[in-house]
Amino acid sequence: MEIERGVEELIEDLNSGDSARVATAVERLAAHGEHALPGLLSRVRDDPSPQRLTVYGEVLTRIGPPAFDAVLAAARAGQVDGWLRSRLLRVFDERCAGQYAALALDPDRWQSNSGFEGLLRLRVDSEAGLRALVEKAGLGGGFYGEPGTYLRALWDSYAPRLRELCRDPASPRPVRRGALGVLIEGGGLDALEERDRMLVERLLRVKLPGSVRAVPDTQLSAWWLAVPGATYEGVFEALGLHDPRPVPVQTGVAAAMCEEIANPSPNDPSRGISRAFVTPELDGWRLVFGQFPQLVGYDDWNDMVETVERVSAACGRAQLFFVDDAGGADIWFAAEDGRMVRQYAGEGDLDEDEEDDEDPDDITGGVRDVCGDLSVDLDLVGVFDTVVRGHGWLVVTAPDMNHGQFPGLLPV
């Protein structure tokens, strides 16, 4: 598109530094509308300084949706880089809510985040924004970063309408499913109506015999506890775990890996709580996964020793494994009846009980070398003929907190 006559002179006025000339140029360029866009984008691409971005952004804001489309078209044609595209897309107002919502569904994650960033900045009660969340959930998209922040910001407005979509028989099934997913993402199971909660719980029961291969692998980092399958119930009281619910392995592991949520109590205003997962019995052992601070503590070494001894007192035997390739940590502990019998860190055994029935030479090495000899090799669960008994349990780390208050979608 050719630059319209007079536009170049007005763009020069934008850069004049004379506030009156700049104000007049902004008004007149905005009146030119989309005809002013080629020249504006060309100039700001050549000199994307903060001053240029501010004054050119004023013109783009006034032109509105055509300018939004032009910025995107220039970015997709390689005429505007990602940094400049992101900066320019921050200037538009609520007239572009629909375009931000469409951008939020772009398969490219950076484009999508720009869309949700725009919706979040506007904070308008937008039907297009609501539909973007629903469609994202229906497509299986994640809600980390900007999408999740946007959902939480508009939650009070959107939650009642999401429930209406779930109830509306005229809504297509993908829309109802997406609305259900957004409700769980934003408010947990407590955000659902009774009928939908029952459907979710029924689905979990159906999926209980799912693959045990969903346990975490030990690449880069991992930590877990192992206790005997016959005495595992002692781990609930020993770790302060409450409200056990049967769940498939994939669901339990994903829930246990989620970050803690704030849950102040009268005695601890900064309290955070989380969930933990106790696996089905795997070759005679149950494994426990969760957030390290809630289940073990912050004083890494001392808390690990105290935790594994306490759990072994309740379950007869317990092992704690901790491996972190990036940080160089390779640590494991084995305790029986409340007393440490072996422990290892880095290179060689640091402590071993001479009265231990096992020959110390039988089990040596780091976490990945010995976990299968001590209990269960995490990397081999489900690969060979793992003997599986029972089902897993999802639990919470506070007695006054139920599962329904944890937000976030979980795989089933």
Side-chain angles (χ1 to χ4, degrees):
M1 181 185 294
E2 293 184 1
I3 300 175
E4 187 170 296
R5 173 178 282 180
V7 167
E8 281 289 349
E9 290 80 1
L10 292 172
I11 293 175
E12 291 296 335
D13 286 346
L14 288 180
N15 304 322
S16 67
D18 182 317
S19 59
R21 289 175 64 190
V22 169
T24 300
V26 167
E27 293 290 345
R28 293 181 62 188
L29 282 168
H32 279 279
E34 59 187 293
H35 300 294
L37 295 173
L40 285 167
L41 294 178
S42 176
R43 285 295 188 90
V44 77
R45 182 176 64 244
D46 293 340
D47 181 13
S49 63
Q51 182 180 1
R52 292 280 192 277
L53 287 171
T54 298
V55 69
Y56 286 30
E58 291 182 24
V59 182
L60 295 175
T61 302
R62 291 170 184 250
I63 294 175
F68 189 106
D69 293 340
V71 170
L72 274 188
R76 287 166 176 158
Q79 299 168 358
V80 171
D81 64 23
W83 177 85
L84 183 55
R85 177 211 64 206
S86 178
R87 292 296 301 269
L88 293 177
L89 287 177
R90 295 175 186 173
V91 306
F92 297 100
D93 58 25
E94 60 274 7
R95 291 175 297 162
C96 295
Q99 282 146 305
Y100 280 125
L103 186 60
L105 295 172
D106 194 289
D108 181 275
R109 183 167 65 90
W110 299 109
Q111 298 271 56
S112 176
N113 282 346
S114 291
F116 278 111
E117 182 183 281
L119 290 170
L120 178 62
R121 178 177 52 80
L122 295 177
R123 290 179 183 258
V124 294
D125 189 340
S126 162
E127 189 66 26
L130 174 64
R131 291 288 177 169
L133 291 169
V134 169
E135 190 168 339
K136 185 174 184 64
L139 293 171
F143 281 80
Y144 298 105
E146 300 296 342
T149 305
Y150 173 62
L151 171 58
R152 290 188 292 274
L154 276 296
W155 175 251
D156 290 341
S157 173
Y158 284 168
R161 290 150 64 186
L162 289 165
R163 295 188 187 98
E164 290 176 8
L165 283 175
C166 289
R167 290 194 302 265
D168 184 2
S171 294
R173 185 174 180 180
V175 171
R176 296 201 303 273
R177 184 170 60 244
L180 185 69
V182 178
L183 280 169
I184 296 173
E185 180 65 43
L189 291 178
D190 282 0
L192 304 183
E193 295 179 337
E194 181 64 25
R195 182 182 71 89
D196 291 326
R197 279 200 299 271
M198 291 175 61
L199 288 174
V200 172
E201 290 171 0
R202 185 183 307 164
L203 176 61
L204 288 173
R205 289 194 295 271
V206 169
K207 297 289 186 176
L208 276 179
S211 170
V212 296
R213 189 70 198 104
V215 296
D217 63 36
T218 61
Q219 296 302 309
L220 297 182
S221 66
W223 89 271
W224 71 98
L225 280 160
V227 296
T231 57
Y232 81 94
E233 291 180 343
V235 81
F236 295 128
E237 183 174 355
L239 293 179
L241 304 175
H242 306 272
D243 195 13
R245 302 283 182 89
V247 293
V249 172
Q250 185 181 21
T251 306
V253 168
M257 296 298 106
C258 291
E259 296 294 328
E260 69 176 52
I261 62 173
N263 186 249
S265 69
N267 297 327
D268 186 3
S270 63
R271 181 178 71 163
I273 65 169
S274 60
R275 292 172 288 192
F277 176 59
V278 181
T279 70
E281 186 177 313
L282 308 170
D283 289 337
W285 294 84
R286 298 254 185 172
L287 309 181
V288 183
F289 300 97
Q291 291 297 307
F292 193 89
Q294 273 76 45
L295 271 65
V296 180
Y298 292 92
D299 185 0
D300 292 355
W301 183 268
N302 292 330
D303 282 340
M304 285 191 282
V305 170
E306 192 276 332
T307 298
V308 74
E309 289 184 335
R310 173 163 33 91
V311 173
S312 74
C315 300
R317 299 174 67 188
Q319 293 122 35
L320 191 155
F321 303 95
F322 185 97
V323 59
D324 180 1
D325 294 334
D330 193 349
I331 305 167
W332 57 265
F333 304 87
E336 296 181 8
D337 299 322
R339 184 170 58 90
M340 188 72 64
V341 294
R342 300 199 60 202
Q343 58 191 28
Y344 169 95
E347 298 290 334
D349 282 346
L350 298 181
D351 185 15
E352 61 185 48
D353 189 323
E354 294 180 357
E355 297 181 3
D356 185 8
D357 293 334
E358 295 178 323
D359 183 350
D361 294 329
D362 286 346
I363 303 178
T364 60
V367 168
R368 296 183 180 92
D369 296 323
V370 307
C371 60
D373 294 322
L374 289 169
S375 51
V376 176
D377 188 335
L378 207 62
D379 292 331
L380 297 182
V381 170
V383 176
F384 298 121
D385 294 328
T386 304
V387 178
V388 182
R389 292 188 176 91
H391 56 72
W393 297 100
L394 187 63
V395 289
V396 295
T397 61
D400 55 345
M401 186 73 174
N402 64 58
H403 291 270
Q405 297 181 52
F406 287 89
L409 289 169
L410 297 172
V412 176

